[in-house]
Amino acid sequence: MNIFQQRRERLYQDFDQQSVIIIVGNTQKVRSKNIKYHFRPDNDLFYYTGFEEPNAVAVLRPHHKEPFAMFVRGKDVAAEVSFGERAGELGVQEKFGADIAYDIEKVYTVLPHLLEERTKVYYLDEQEEYANNILSWIAHQRRNTGFDVIKHYRQLLPFQPYIHNQRVIKDEVEISRIRHAVEASVHAHKQVMKKCRPGMNEGQLAALFDFEIASFGCKEVSYPSIVAGGRNGCCLHYENNNCELNNGEMLLIDAGAEYQYYCADITRTYPINGKFSDAQKTIYQLVLLALDSAISNIKPGVSWNGIYQTCVEVMTKGLIELGILKCSFEQAIASEAYRKFTVHKTGHWLGMDVHDVGAYHDAKGEWRLLQENMVFTVEPGIYIPEDCLDVEEKWRGIAVRIEDDILVTADGCENLSSGVPRTVEEIEAWMAD
Ligand code: GLY
Ligand code: MN
Ligand code: MN
């Protein structure tokens, strides 16, 4: 059994014979006129089918003799000459293990019949492609039978809570793909760090990152790379990447490769000229201390929010000692004064989506406890805007984020991205080399 079959089998065990699961894939989006964006399949559809073409719908029927039905684009010689091969109905059965397959153009007439006598319809359609049809599909049987035929009053249920809970715990195939995405990103970050010089443009370093990950078979980045010189680092999702890099300032680069639909997400901050100033070093080391303190506590059973709390406590103490926060520790925690400089939370699940799916709370609303084979980022940051006139001038304009990708193991964790230089000494040595 391949991994997609294994996942479907598990799903069939978890649902009863009253259930049907419908997963609608992505369509291709227009970039401009007749030019489309590069297509990326819906992650949930891919997770259960491995199918990578646009306009596909999977219908999964647990405990049925033909549990796996697919609607796909039909074969079309002219379209395939222009835009590439299609699997077609036969291909999706032969190569992807569908028990039955139909042309997607028949979805409106055929899909309602696939529901048969089943009464629970779990529906996932992130782009709302069939949002205007689903209610009539589930009512189709009772509306189109004789008055004395048994009617099926079906429930429409969300599929996301189930699948997104599955995806929080990564299987072996997922972990190996994430490892590869991270390995490619570590390599690319190291090359960018080595080549960074005053006078270069942010965009050149973004292009270099893309070039370096390509040799690892990574065709895309997981999100638009954030390559931010100096004060641009204070913009959390800066993506203009078109400024010159100035001597004496720092570069904040937040970039990750995607490998076979799995993401890396790594940030490093370092001096553009290869040598930290005293002020830059002080803030950098405080953020690194927060990151390392948080990572050293990670193991199964620890609360998700404990990671954030550790980062906040370390950074708040440090900011008070430096005179950047002008209050007591207790006051800063109670009033959340630290948020002025730490701005964001310190991590998220990582997987097929860079901000991966899955709840951060349990059924009782408590913070979730970490489990083996969860993968997430830890990414504390301190940002001191230039116009922050109530802090000493030497700190202004400094923005530092450090982000690593963490796998929870049976008794602790593994920092997958530790290979990119992290300490002041490692960074200065690597850039001088
Ligand atoms: N690069 C997006 C993030 O770190 O969340
Ligand atoms: Mn990031
Ligand atoms: Mn992140």
Side-chain angles (χ1 to χ4, degrees):
M1 263 203 265
N2 69 32
I3 188 68
F4 305 108
Q5 270 175 294
Q6 287 175 34
R7 292 176 188 154
R8 289 195 298 274
E9 288 301 326
R10 178 162 176 197
L11 174 144
Y12 299 151
Q13 297 316 312
D14 288 343
F15 286 82
D16 63 22
Q17 59 197 29
Q18 286 301 316
S19 304
V20 186
I21 295 104
I22 300 172
I23 308 175
V24 179
N26 287 339
T27 55
Q28 209 165 2
K29 295 290 172 234
V30 171
R31 181 170 187 271
S32 179
K33 296 233 170 62
N34 65 343
I35 301 300
K36 307 257 177 59
Y37 282 107
H38 186 68
F39 178 71
R40 191 180 189 289
D42 174 77
N43 288 329
D44 296 319
L45 184 84
F46 183 83
Y47 185 84
Y48 281 117
T49 65
F51 196 68
E52 296 175 87
E53 293 182 26
N55 303 355
V57 176
V59 180
L60 302 166
R61 296 180 293 180
H63 315 287
H64 192 285
K65 65 181 187 322
E66 290 177 324
F68 178 26
M70 281 287 276
F71 292 85
V72 297
R73 298 178 308 178
K75 296 291 281 181
D76 177 331
V77 174
E80 289 179 56
V81 167
S82 290
F83 299 110
E85 201 184 342
R86 299 175 174 191
E89 295 100 297
L90 207 56
V92 76
Q93 291 180 79
E94 286 174 355
K95 298 197 198 104
F96 296 88
D99 300 305
I100 39 175
Y102 306 92
D103 191 312
I104 187 67
E105 288 179 10
K106 298 203 179 116
V107 73
Y108 301 99
T109 50
V110 173
L111 194 148
H113 294 283
L114 296 183
L115 305 181
E116 295 183 346
E117 316 285 297
R118 294 173 182 243
T119 54
K120 291 189 274 187
V121 178
Y122 292 86
Y123 183 60
L124 189 156
D125 180 3
E126 284 297 305
Q127 295 189 344
E128 300 184 9
E129 190 64 19
Y130 299 107
N132 292 334
N133 305 98
I134 184 67
L135 290 180
S136 68
W137 289 350
I138 65 173
H140 181 267
Q141 186 269 351
R142 70 179 172 82
R143 284 192 182 142
N144 292 284
T145 50
F147 65 84
D148 57 353
V149 173
I150 295 171
K151 305 285 186 288
H152 303 306
Y153 292 93
R154 299 190 170 105
Q155 295 178 66
L156 186 61
L157 297 155
F159 184 53
Q160 284 88 339
Y162 174 82
I163 158 83
H164 293 173
N165 207 35
Q166 297 296 311
R167 282 177 46 193
V168 175
I169 312 294
K170 270 59 183 179
D171 60 38
E172 261 177 48
V173 172
E174 296 186 286
I175 290 171
S176 75
R177 289 181 179 191
I178 293 171
R179 275 188 192 283
H180 189 91
V182 174
E183 198 185 321
S185 310
V186 166
H187 165 81
H189 269 282
K190 288 177 74 176
Q191 296 313 306
V192 170
M193 194 183 279
K194 194 174 275 284
K195 302 215 163 83
C196 173
R197 293 284 177 275
M200 288 181 84
N201 189 282
E202 293 165 345
Q204 287 177 281
L205 295 183
L208 180 61
F209 189 89
D210 292 349
F211 175 82
E212 294 294 344
I213 63 171
S215 56
F216 284 70
C218 300
K219 295 195 296 185
E220 310 251 9
V221 282
S222 308
Y223 51 91
S225 298
I226 298 163
V227 184
R231 65 177 173 173
N232 293 339
C234 289
C235 173
L236 301 182
H237 289 280
Y238 175 79
E239 49 181 86
N240 283 348
N241 298 352
N242 59 1
C243 288
E244 189 172 311
L245 298 171
N246 299 322
N247 195 13
E249 293 184 341
M250 285 204 285
L251 174 74
L252 184 159
I253 170 166
D254 181 343
E258 181 179 283
Y259 180 67
Q260 295 184 356
Y261 307 123
Y262 284 83
C263 300
D265 180 10
I266 303 173
T267 308
R268 289 293 183 267
T269 309
Y270 43 88
I272 288 162
N273 64 16
K275 192 94 185 91
F276 284 89
S277 71
D278 287 345
Q280 290 167 348
K281 189 190 293 186
T282 301
I283 300 295
Y284 184 86
Q285 285 179 321
L286 177 54
V287 177
L288 186 62
L289 180 65
L291 175 63
D292 283 340
S293 305
I295 292 175
S296 68
N297 288 333
I298 292 172
K299 61 179 180 198
V302 163
S303 158
W304 166 256
N305 199 47
I307 299 169
Y308 177 57
Q309 283 172 333
T310 303
C311 289
V312 160
E313 281 171 23
V314 171
M315 291 191 289
T316 302
K317 275 186 197 140
L319 288 168
I320 291 169
E321 276 166 25
L322 297 173
I324 296 172
L325 272 178
K326 298 171 184 58
C327 57
S328 71
F329 179 75
E330 290 69 27
Q331 283 167 336
I333 295 295
S335 65
E336 299 189 344
Y338 54 83
R339 291 186 64 170
K340 179 170 179 191
F341 302 109
T342 62
V343 186
H344 54 77
K345 296 299 261 301
T346 54
H348 48 82
W349 308 135
L350 182 67
M352 299 183 85
D353 286 289
V354 63
H355 300 148
D356 208 19
V357 294
Y360 292 87
H361 296 88
D362 65 18
K364 292 188 195 137
E366 303 293 335
W367 289 107
R368 192 162 185 168
L369 304 184
L370 300 182
Q371 288 171 253
E372 187 178 0
N373 295 338
M374 286 178 163
V375 181
F376 51 83
T377 68
V378 183
E379 49 179 308
I382 291 178
Y383 311 85
I384 309 175
E386 271 183 334
D387 62 359
C388 198
L389 301 181
D390 54 349
V391 302
E392 268 183 84
E393 193 174 351
K394 65 177 178 181
W395 308 120
R396 292 183 211 152
I398 294 181
V400 175
R401 179 164 67 252
I402 317 172
E403 177 174 30
D404 278 319
D405 298 343
I406 306 297
L407 167 69
V408 181
T409 58
D411 55 2
C413 72
E414 182 182 343
N415 183 349
L416 303 176
S417 53
S418 61
V420 192
R422 298 165 91 246
T423 65
V424 166
E425 297 72 29
E426 283 167 358
I427 289 170
E428 289 188 346
W430 179 251
M431 293 185 81
D433 186 5

